[in-house]
Amino acid sequence: MSDKLLRISSQIIVGSSEVKTHCSQALQVAKKNKYSEALEFLKKAKDSLAKTYEYQSELLSDFALGEKIEVDIFLVHAQDHLMSASQMIENTEEFIELYRKLSY
């Protein structure tokens, strides 16, 4: 694995973890009916996801320019984290809305 691929894979994992942390924080405050605070954490999660997708886009751009990308288990692991982080945002949005409806 190249140093660049290791760096990008690591950034994807770290960024995805930030997304998941912000989503968890959003859910915790939403359970306490603090919806504006929950939405702030959700925005942080979305911002982290956008930043993390930039790392993935760097790889895709390199590939499109003809660079050979060595796919290994660490990159697959990073992509798995990114996919689950993206899904967690969608689930968090739904749960916040559900908590809001149930609180009325």
Side-chain angles (χ1 to χ4, degrees):
M1 171 181 269
S2 71
D3 288 343
K4 180 179 181 180
L5 192 55
L6 179 61
R7 175 186 56 82
I8 291 173
S9 296
S10 297
Q11 289 169 321
I12 290 172
I13 291 170
V14 169
S16 298
S17 295
E18 288 175 6
V19 171
K20 293 174 186 180
T21 297
H22 293 312
C23 285
S24 294
Q25 291 168 321
L27 290 172
Q28 291 306 309
V29 296
K31 287 179 190 178
K32 298 174 184 174
N33 299 329
K34 298 178 181 179
Y35 302 111
S36 61
E37 194 175 338
L39 295 177
E40 288 175 25
F41 281 119
L42 188 58
K43 180 175 182 339
K44 289 179 182 180
K46 289 180 178 182
D47 290 346
S48 292
L49 185 66
K51 182 178 171 185
T52 303
Y53 271 127
E54 289 177 15
Y55 300 124
Q56 181 189 45
S57 294
E58 184 179 344
L59 280 181
L60 293 172
S61 180
D62 290 347
F63 179 76
L65 293 172
E67 185 175 321
K68 185 176 186 315
I69 305 296
E70 178 186 334
V71 177
D72 66 5
I73 192 68
F74 195 59
L75 177 58
V76 171
H77 181 66
Q79 290 299 118
D80 185 45
H81 272 280
L82 183 56
M83 181 188 70
S84 66
S86 179
Q87 184 61 53
M88 192 163 181
I89 286 178
E90 291 179 31
N91 292 348
T92 300
E93 289 173 323
E94 292 297 321
F95 274 109
I96 290 171
E97 185 62 27
L98 182 60
Y99 289 141
R100 188 180 301 196
K101 286 181 179 180
L102 291 174
S103 70
Y104 290 112

